[in-house]
PDB file of all heavy atoms in Angstrom:
ATOM      1  N   PRO A  11      46.140 -47.524 -30.425  1.00  0.00           N
ATOM      2  CA  PRO A  11      46.351 -47.941 -29.029  1.00  0.00           C
ATOM      3  C   PRO A  11      45.184 -47.539 -28.134  1.00  0.00           C
ATOM      4  O   PRO A  11      44.528 -46.522 -28.365  1.00  0.00           O
ATOM      5  CB  PRO A  11      47.631 -47.213 -28.624  1.00  0.00           C
ATOM      6  CG  PRO A  11      47.736 -46.062 -29.558  1.00  0.00           C
ATOM      7  CD  PRO A  11      47.056 -46.455 -30.825  1.00  0.00           C
ATOM      8  N   VAL A  12      44.945 -48.356 -27.110  1.00  0.00           N
ATOM      9  CA  VAL A  12      43.889 -48.101 -26.132  1.00  0.00           C
ATOM     10  C   VAL A  12      44.521 -48.171 -24.743  1.00  0.00           C
ATOM     11  O   VAL A  12      45.261 -49.106 -24.446  1.00  0.00           O
ATOM     12  CB  VAL A  12      42.753 -49.147 -26.250  1.00  0.00           C
ATOM     13  CG1 VAL A  12      41.690 -48.915 -25.197  1.00  0.00           C
ATOM     14  CG2 VAL A  12      42.151 -49.131 -27.646  1.00  0.00           C
ATOM     15  N   ALA A  13      44.235 -47.185 -23.903  1.00  0.00           N
ATOM     16  CA  ALA A  13      44.793 -47.168 -22.549  1.00  0.00           C
ATOM     17  C   ALA A  13      43.791 -46.561 -21.585  1.00  0.00           C
ATOM     18  O   ALA A  13      42.881 -45.834 -21.973  1.00  0.00           O
ATOM     19  CB  ALA A  13      46.090 -46.362 -22.515  1.00  0.00           C
ATOM     20  N   ARG A  14      43.961 -46.880 -20.316  1.00  0.00           N
ATOM     21  CA  ARG A  14      43.166 -46.271 -19.248  1.00  0.00           C
ATOM     22  C   ARG A  14      44.007 -45.143 -18.668  1.00  0.00           C
ATOM     23  O   ARG A  14      45.133 -45.360 -18.214  1.00  0.00           O
ATOM     24  CB  ARG A  14      42.860 -47.284 -18.163  1.00  0.00           C
ATOM     25  CG  ARG A  14      42.076 -46.670 -16.999  1.00  0.00           C
ATOM     26  CD  ARG A  14      41.767 -47.695 -15.912  1.00  0.00           C
ATOM     27  NE  ARG A  14      40.963 -48.764 -16.474  1.00  0.00           N
ATOM     28  CZ  ARG A  14      41.199 -50.054 -16.261  1.00  0.00           C
ATOM     29  NH1 ARG A  14      42.207 -50.438 -15.516  1.00  0.00           N
ATOM     30  NH2 ARG A  14      40.428 -50.976 -16.794  1.00  0.00           N
ATOM     31  N   ILE A  15      43.458 -43.942 -18.689  1.00  0.00           N
ATOM     32  CA  ILE A  15      44.158 -42.760 -18.210  1.00  0.00           C
ATOM     33  C   ILE A  15      43.407 -42.203 -17.005  1.00  0.00           C
ATOM     34  O   ILE A  15      42.186 -42.147 -17.011  1.00  0.00           O
ATOM     35  CB  ILE A  15      44.208 -41.661 -19.306  1.00  0.00           C
ATOM     36  CG1 ILE A  15      44.704 -42.223 -20.639  1.00  0.00           C
ATOM     37  CG2 ILE A  15      45.020 -40.478 -18.859  1.00  0.00           C
ATOM     38  CD1 ILE A  15      46.103 -42.704 -20.631  1.00  0.00           C
ATOM     39  N   GLY A  16      44.134 -41.794 -15.994  1.00  0.00           N
ATOM     40  CA  GLY A  16      43.496 -41.180 -14.838  1.00  0.00           C
ATOM     41  C   GLY A  16      44.410 -40.159 -14.202  1.00  0.00           C
ATOM     42  O   GLY A  16      45.633 -40.265 -14.277  1.00  0.00           O
ATOM     43  N   PHE A  17      43.801 -39.147 -13.642  1.00  0.00           N
ATOM     44  CA  PHE A  17      44.599 -38.194 -12.880  1.00  0.00           C
ATOM     45  C   PHE A  17      43.759 -37.634 -11.756  1.00  0.00           C
ATOM     46  O   PHE A  17      42.541 -37.617 -11.800  1.00  0.00           O
ATOM     47  CB  PHE A  17      45.190 -37.095 -13.767  1.00  0.00           C
ATOM     48  CG  PHE A  17      44.191 -36.179 -14.430  1.00  0.00           C
ATOM     49  CD1 PHE A  17      43.865 -34.961 -13.867  1.00  0.00           C
ATOM     50  CD2 PHE A  17      43.611 -36.524 -15.631  1.00  0.00           C
ATOM     51  CE1 PHE A  17      42.971 -34.119 -14.479  1.00  0.00           C
ATOM     52  CE2 PHE A  17      42.720 -35.689 -16.257  1.00  0.00           C
ATOM     53  CZ  PHE A  17      42.390 -34.480 -15.679  1.00  0.00           C
ATOM     54  N   ALA A  18      44.454 -37.235 -10.723  1.00  0.00           N
ATOM     55  CA  ALA A  18      43.803 -36.675  -9.538  1.00  0.00           C
ATOM     56  C   ALA A  18      44.679 -35.556  -8.999  1.00  0.00           C
ATOM     57  O   ALA A  18      45.892 -35.578  -9.152  1.00  0.00           O
ATOM     58  CB  ALA A  18      43.611 -37.745  -8.476  1.00  0.00           C
ATOM     59  N   PHE A  19      44.038 -34.603  -8.406  1.00  0.00           N
ATOM     60  CA  PHE A  19      44.788 -33.503  -7.838  1.00  0.00           C
ATOM     61  C   PHE A  19      43.973 -32.872  -6.730  1.00  0.00           C
ATOM     62  O   PHE A  19      42.771 -33.078  -6.614  1.00  0.00           O
ATOM     63  CB  PHE A  19      45.151 -32.462  -8.904  1.00  0.00           C
ATOM     64  CG  PHE A  19      43.980 -31.937  -9.662  1.00  0.00           C
ATOM     65  CD1 PHE A  19      43.313 -30.800  -9.250  1.00  0.00           C
ATOM     66  CD2 PHE A  19      43.524 -32.591 -10.783  1.00  0.00           C
ATOM     67  CE1 PHE A  19      42.223 -30.332  -9.944  1.00  0.00           C
ATOM     68  CE2 PHE A  19      42.437 -32.133 -11.491  1.00  0.00           C
ATOM     69  CZ  PHE A  19      41.782 -30.996 -11.067  1.00  0.00           C
ATOM     70  N   GLY A  20      44.653 -32.120  -5.909  1.00  0.00           N
ATOM     71  CA  GLY A  20      43.991 -31.429  -4.816  1.00  0.00           C
ATOM     72  C   GLY A  20      44.868 -30.300  -4.320  1.00  0.00           C
ATOM     73  O   GLY A  20      46.053 -30.237  -4.602  1.00  0.00           O
ATOM     74  N   GLY A  21      44.269 -29.426  -3.617  1.00  0.00           N
ATOM     75  CA  GLY A  21      45.011 -28.292  -3.081  1.00  0.00           C
ATOM     76  C   GLY A  21      44.146 -27.506  -2.124  1.00  0.00           C
ATOM     77  O   GLY A  21      42.948 -27.741  -1.991  1.00  0.00           O
ATOM     78  N   GLY A  22      44.758 -26.597  -1.480  1.00  0.00           N
ATOM     79  CA  GLY A  22      44.005 -25.766  -0.554  1.00  0.00           C
ATOM     80  C   GLY A  22      44.852 -24.662   0.018  1.00  0.00           C
ATOM     81  O   GLY A  22      46.070 -24.641  -0.125  1.00  0.00           O
ATOM     82  N   THR A  23      44.180 -23.735   0.617  1.00  0.00           N
ATOM     83  CA  THR A  23      44.853 -22.632   1.284  1.00  0.00           C
ATOM     84  C   THR A  23      44.238 -22.465   2.665  1.00  0.00           C
ATOM     85  O   THR A  23      43.128 -22.924   2.936  1.00  0.00           O
ATOM     86  CB  THR A  23      44.700 -21.317   0.503  1.00  0.00           C
ATOM     87  OG1 THR A  23      43.324 -20.979   0.415  1.00  0.00           O
ATOM     88  CG2 THR A  23      45.297 -21.436  -0.886  1.00  0.00           C
ATOM     89  N   GLY A  24      44.941 -21.800   3.505  1.00  0.00           N
ATOM     90  CA  GLY A  24      44.435 -21.557   4.850  1.00  0.00           C
ATOM     91  C   GLY A  24      45.007 -20.285   5.424  1.00  0.00           C
ATOM     92  O   GLY A  24      46.002 -19.749   4.935  1.00  0.00           O
ATOM     93  N   ARG A  25      44.348 -19.810   6.444  1.00  0.00           N
ATOM     94  CA  ARG A  25      44.771 -18.578   7.083  1.00  0.00           C
ATOM     95  C   ARG A  25      44.585 -18.716   8.573  1.00  0.00           C
ATOM     96  O   ARG A  25      43.578 -19.249   9.031  1.00  0.00           O
ATOM     97  CB  ARG A  25      43.910 -17.435   6.542  1.00  0.00           C
ATOM     98  CG  ARG A  25      44.486 -16.083   6.797  1.00  0.00           C
ATOM     99  CD  ARG A  25      43.592 -15.083   6.170  1.00  0.00           C
ATOM    100  NE  ARG A  25      42.497 -14.906   7.121  1.00  0.00           N
ATOM    101  CZ  ARG A  25      41.649 -13.922   7.110  1.00  0.00           C
ATOM    102  NH1 ARG A  25      41.694 -13.045   6.157  1.00  0.00           N
ATOM    103  NH2 ARG A  25      40.731 -13.812   8.007  1.00  0.00           N
ATOM    104  N   GLU A  26      45.556 -18.268   9.306  1.00  0.00           N
ATOM    105  CA  GLU A  26      45.479 -18.285  10.759  1.00  0.00           C
ATOM    106  C   GLU A  26      45.545 -16.848  11.251  1.00  0.00           C
ATOM    107  O   GLU A  26      46.459 -16.100  10.913  1.00  0.00           O
ATOM    108  CB  GLU A  26      46.641 -19.082  11.359  1.00  0.00           C
ATOM    109  CG  GLU A  26      46.623 -19.089  12.866  1.00  0.00           C
ATOM    110  CD  GLU A  26      47.829 -19.812  13.457  1.00  0.00           C
ATOM    111  OE1 GLU A  26      48.739 -20.159  12.695  1.00  0.00           O
ATOM    112  OE2 GLU A  26      47.847 -19.983  14.671  1.00  0.00           O
ATOM    113  N   VAL A  27      44.541 -16.478  12.016  1.00  0.00           N
ATOM    114  CA  VAL A  27      44.529 -15.142  12.600  1.00  0.00           C
ATOM    115  C   VAL A  27      44.497 -15.339  14.108  1.00  0.00           C
ATOM    116  O   VAL A  27      43.547 -15.863  14.658  1.00  0.00           O
ATOM    117  CB  VAL A  27      43.301 -14.330  12.128  1.00  0.00           C
ATOM    118  CG1 VAL A  27      43.293 -12.972  12.780  1.00  0.00           C
ATOM    119  CG2 VAL A  27      43.285 -14.212  10.628  1.00  0.00           C
ATOM    120  N   ASN A  28      45.550 -14.926  14.735  1.00  0.00           N
ATOM    121  CA  ASN A  28      45.694 -15.068  16.173  1.00  0.00           C
ATOM    122  C   ASN A  28      46.094 -13.698  16.721  1.00  0.00           C
ATOM    123  O   ASN A  28      46.538 -12.827  15.975  1.00  0.00           O
ATOM    124  CB  ASN A  28      46.781 -16.110  16.452  1.00  0.00           C
ATOM    125  CG  ASN A  28      46.671 -16.702  17.833  1.00  0.00           C
ATOM    126  OD1 ASN A  28      46.019 -16.148  18.709  1.00  0.00           O
ATOM    127  ND2 ASN A  28      47.323 -17.845  18.020  1.00  0.00           N
ATOM    128  N   THR A  29      45.952 -13.501  17.983  1.00  0.00           N
ATOM    129  CA  THR A  29      46.324 -12.212  18.552  1.00  0.00           C
ATOM    130  C   THR A  29      47.821 -11.948  18.438  1.00  0.00           C
ATOM    131  O   THR A  29      48.247 -10.817  18.289  1.00  0.00           O
ATOM    132  CB  THR A  29      45.906 -12.139  20.034  1.00  0.00           C
ATOM    133  OG1 THR A  29      46.485 -13.237  20.722  1.00  0.00           O
ATOM    134  CG2 THR A  29      44.405 -12.173  20.166  1.00  0.00           C
ATOM    135  N   SER A  30      48.608 -13.019  18.455  1.00  0.00           N
ATOM    136  CA  SER A  30      50.053 -12.818  18.397  1.00  0.00           C
ATOM    137  C   SER A  30      50.633 -12.897  16.985  1.00  0.00           C
ATOM    138  O   SER A  30      51.711 -12.393  16.741  1.00  0.00           O
ATOM    139  CB  SER A  30      50.754 -13.844  19.291  1.00  0.00           C
ATOM    140  OG  SER A  30      50.485 -15.145  18.818  1.00  0.00           O
ATOM    141  N   ARG A  31      49.909 -13.527  16.065  1.00  0.00           N
ATOM    142  CA  ARG A  31      50.466 -13.659  14.718  1.00  0.00           C
ATOM    143  C   ARG A  31      49.351 -13.862  13.693  1.00  0.00           C
ATOM    144  O   ARG A  31      48.255 -14.287  14.010  1.00  0.00           O
ATOM    145  CB  ARG A  31      51.440 -14.813  14.655  1.00  0.00           C
ATOM    146  CG  ARG A  31      50.798 -16.130  14.966  1.00  0.00           C
ATOM    147  CD  ARG A  31      51.791 -17.254  14.940  1.00  0.00           C
ATOM    148  NE  ARG A  31      51.088 -18.458  15.405  1.00  0.00           N
ATOM    149  CZ  ARG A  31      51.634 -19.577  15.633  1.00  0.00           C
ATOM    150  NH1 ARG A  31      52.921 -19.688  15.488  1.00  0.00           N
ATOM    151  NH2 ARG A  31      50.942 -20.613  16.020  1.00  0.00           N
ATOM    152  N   ILE A  32      49.699 -13.579  12.469  1.00  0.00           N
ATOM    153  CA  ILE A  32      48.803 -13.801  11.330  1.00  0.00           C
ATOM    154  C   ILE A  32      49.617 -14.550  10.289  1.00  0.00           C
ATOM    155  O   ILE A  32      50.733 -14.179   9.974  1.00  0.00           O
ATOM    156  CB  ILE A  32      48.293 -12.469  10.736  1.00  0.00           C
ATOM    157  CG1 ILE A  32      47.454 -11.725  11.778  1.00  0.00           C
ATOM    158  CG2 ILE A  32      47.480 -12.723   9.475  1.00  0.00           C
ATOM    159  CD1 ILE A  32      46.986 -10.364  11.316  1.00  0.00           C
ATOM    160  N   GLY A  33      49.049 -15.623   9.749  1.00  0.00           N
ATOM    161  CA  GLY A  33      49.788 -16.400   8.760  1.00  0.00           C
ATOM    162  C   GLY A  33      48.868 -16.959   7.688  1.00  0.00           C
ATOM    163  O   GLY A  33      47.686 -17.154   7.908  1.00  0.00           O
ATOM    164  N   GLU A  34      49.435 -17.181   6.541  1.00  0.00           N
ATOM    165  CA  GLU A  34      48.711 -17.784   5.435  1.00  0.00           C
ATOM    166  C   GLU A  34      49.566 -18.888   4.850  1.00  0.00           C
ATOM    167  O   GLU A  34      50.793 -18.857   4.939  1.00  0.00           O
ATOM    168  CB  GLU A  34      48.418 -16.758   4.342  1.00  0.00           C
ATOM    169  CG  GLU A  34      47.435 -15.689   4.751  1.00  0.00           C
ATOM    170  CD  GLU A  34      47.095 -14.761   3.601  1.00  0.00           C
ATOM    171  OE1 GLU A  34      47.522 -15.018   2.467  1.00  0.00           O
ATOM    172  OE2 GLU A  34      46.404 -13.784   3.850  1.00  0.00           O
ATOM    173  N   GLY A  35      48.920 -19.846   4.236  1.00  0.00           N
ATOM    174  CA  GLY A  35      49.660 -20.914   3.587  1.00  0.00           C
ATOM    175  C   GLY A  35      48.781 -21.651   2.612  1.00  0.00           C
ATOM    176  O   GLY A  35      47.570 -21.502   2.606  1.00  0.00           O
ATOM    177  N   GLY A  36      49.409 -22.415   1.797  1.00  0.00           N
ATOM    178  CA  GLY A  36      48.655 -23.191   0.822  1.00  0.00           C
ATOM    179  C   GLY A  36      49.539 -24.248   0.219  1.00  0.00           C
ATOM    180  O   GLY A  36      50.750 -24.245   0.390  1.00  0.00           O
ATOM    181  N   GLY A  37      48.902 -25.152  -0.458  1.00  0.00           N
ATOM    182  CA  GLY A  37      49.667 -26.204  -1.105  1.00  0.00           C
ATOM    183  C   GLY A  37      48.779 -27.012  -2.016  1.00  0.00           C
ATOM    184  O   GLY A  37      47.568 -26.888  -1.996  1.00  0.00           O
ATOM    185  N   GLY A  38      49.404 -27.810  -2.800  1.00  0.00           N
ATOM    186  CA  GLY A  38      48.646 -28.648  -3.716  1.00  0.00           C
ATOM    187  C   GLY A  38      49.540 -29.689  -4.326  1.00  0.00           C
ATOM    188  O   GLY A  38      50.757 -29.659  -4.179  1.00  0.00           O
ATOM    189  N   GLY A  39      48.917 -30.611  -4.980  1.00  0.00           N
ATOM    190  CA  GLY A  39      49.676 -31.653  -5.646  1.00  0.00           C
ATOM    191  C   GLY A  39      48.757 -32.514  -6.485  1.00  0.00           C
ATOM    192  O   GLY A  39      47.544 -32.366  -6.450  1.00  0.00           O
ATOM    193  N   GLY A  40      49.346 -33.381  -7.222  1.00  0.00           N
ATOM    194  CA  GLY A  40      48.538 -34.250  -8.068  1.00  0.00           C
ATOM    195  C   GLY A  40      49.383 -35.334  -8.689  1.00  0.00           C
ATOM    196  O   GLY A  40      50.593 -35.388  -8.489  1.00  0.00           O
ATOM    197  N   GLY A  41      48.720 -36.174  -9.416  1.00  0.00           N
ATOM    198  CA  GLY A  41      49.420 -37.250 -10.091  1.00  0.00           C
ATOM    199  C   GLY A  41      48.612 -37.753 -11.265  1.00  0.00           C
ATOM    200  O   GLY A  41      47.415 -37.523 -11.353  1.00  0.00           O
ATOM    201  N   ALA A  42      49.286 -38.409 -12.160  1.00  0.00           N
ATOM    202  CA  ALA A  42      48.634 -38.970 -13.337  1.00  0.00           C
ATOM    203  C   ALA A  42      49.151 -40.379 -13.559  1.00  0.00           C
ATOM    204  O   ALA A  42      50.273 -40.713 -13.182  1.00  0.00           O
ATOM    205  CB  ALA A  42      48.922 -38.116 -14.565  1.00  0.00           C
ATOM    206  N   GLY A  43      48.314 -41.197 -14.144  1.00  0.00           N
ATOM    207  CA  GLY A  43      48.720 -42.559 -14.443  1.00  0.00           C
ATOM    208  C   GLY A  43      48.078 -43.029 -15.732  1.00  0.00           C
ATOM    209  O   GLY A  43      47.003 -42.571 -16.105  1.00  0.00           O
ATOM    210  N   ALA A  44      48.751 -43.919 -16.411  1.00  0.00           N
ATOM    211  CA  ALA A  44      48.229 -44.481 -17.641  1.00  0.00           C
ATOM    212  C   ALA A  44      48.592 -45.959 -17.689  1.00  0.00           C
ATOM    213  O   ALA A  44      49.708 -46.343 -17.358  1.00  0.00           O
ATOM    214  CB  ALA A  44      48.814 -43.751 -18.841  1.00  0.00           C
ATOM    215  N   GLN A  45      47.622 -46.776 -18.078  1.00  0.00           N
ATOM    216  CA  GLN A  45      47.840 -48.210 -18.150  1.00  0.00           C
ATOM    217  C   GLN A  45      47.427 -48.703 -19.530  1.00  0.00           C
ATOM    218  O   GLN A  45      46.288 -48.500 -19.953  1.00  0.00           O
ATOM    219  CB  GLN A  45      47.004 -48.902 -17.083  1.00  0.00           C
ATOM    220  CG  GLN A  45      47.082 -50.401 -17.130  1.00  0.00           C
ATOM    221  CD  GLN A  45      46.136 -51.056 -16.135  1.00  0.00           C
ATOM    222  OE1 GLN A  45      45.283 -50.406 -15.563  1.00  0.00           O
ATOM    223  NE2 GLN A  45      46.304 -52.344 -15.947  1.00  0.00           N
ATOM    224  N   PRO A  46      48.309 -49.365 -20.250  1.00  0.00           N
ATOM    225  CA  PRO A  46      47.930 -49.893 -21.559  1.00  0.00           C
ATOM    226  C   PRO A  46      46.909 -51.020 -21.401  1.00  0.00           C
ATOM    227  O   PRO A  46      47.059 -51.878 -20.540  1.00  0.00           O
ATOM    228  CB  PRO A  46      49.246 -50.409 -22.138  1.00  0.00           C
ATOM    229  CG  PRO A  46      50.158 -50.572 -20.985  1.00  0.00           C
ATOM    230  CD  PRO A  46      49.694 -49.630 -19.909  1.00  0.00           C
ATOM    231  N   LEU A  47      45.859 -50.998 -22.209  1.00  0.00           N
ATOM    232  CA  LEU A  47      44.828 -52.023 -22.144  1.00  0.00           C
ATOM    233  C   LEU A  47      44.819 -52.932 -23.367  1.00  0.00           C
ATOM    234  O   LEU A  47      44.489 -54.105 -23.261  1.00  0.00           O
ATOM    235  CB  LEU A  47      43.447 -51.376 -22.008  1.00  0.00           C
ATOM    236  CG  LEU A  47      43.198 -50.590 -20.733  1.00  0.00           C
ATOM    237  CD1 LEU A  47      41.816 -49.973 -20.759  1.00  0.00           C
ATOM    238  CD2 LEU A  47      43.366 -51.463 -19.509  1.00  0.00           C
ATOM    239  N   GLY A  48      45.149 -52.371 -24.531  1.00  0.00           N
ATOM    240  CA  GLY A  48      45.102 -53.164 -25.746  1.00  0.00           C
ATOM    241  C   GLY A  48      45.238 -52.269 -26.964  1.00  0.00           C
ATOM    242  O   GLY A  48      45.750 -51.156 -26.871  1.00  0.00           O
ATOM    243  N   PHE A  49      44.733 -52.769 -28.092  1.00  0.00           N
ATOM    244  CA  PHE A  49      44.767 -51.962 -29.306  1.00  0.00           C
ATOM    245  C   PHE A  49      43.621 -52.382 -30.211  1.00  0.00           C
ATOM    246  O   PHE A  49      43.077 -53.478 -30.101  1.00  0.00           O
ATOM    247  CB  PHE A  49      46.114 -52.086 -30.025  1.00  0.00           C
ATOM    248  CG  PHE A  49      46.483 -53.490 -30.414  1.00  0.00           C
ATOM    249  CD1 PHE A  49      46.167 -53.986 -31.671  1.00  0.00           C
ATOM    250  CD2 PHE A  49      47.163 -54.310 -29.530  1.00  0.00           C
ATOM    251  CE1 PHE A  49      46.505 -55.272 -32.029  1.00  0.00           C
ATOM    252  CE2 PHE A  49      47.510 -55.603 -29.885  1.00  0.00           C
ATOM    253  CZ  PHE A  49      47.183 -56.096 -31.141  1.00  0.00           C
TER     254      PHE A  49
END
């Protein structure tokens, strides 16, 4: 079998420093796909 395969992903983190509060956060995600082309 022959197929086209692809995937992508991304993510990041951040930080907020303020006089009244300090916070951190982050996130990420991704996906994959495959398409049959032939054999």
Side-chain angles (χ1 to χ4, degrees):
V12 178
R14 178 180 299 134
I15 310 295
F17 65 96
F19 55 92
T23 61
R25 197 177 81 164
E26 178 183 8
V27 178
N28 201 342
T29 56
S30 62
R31 62 182 174 187
I32 297 176
E34 292 185 7
Q45 176 185 11
L47 296 178
F49 58 93

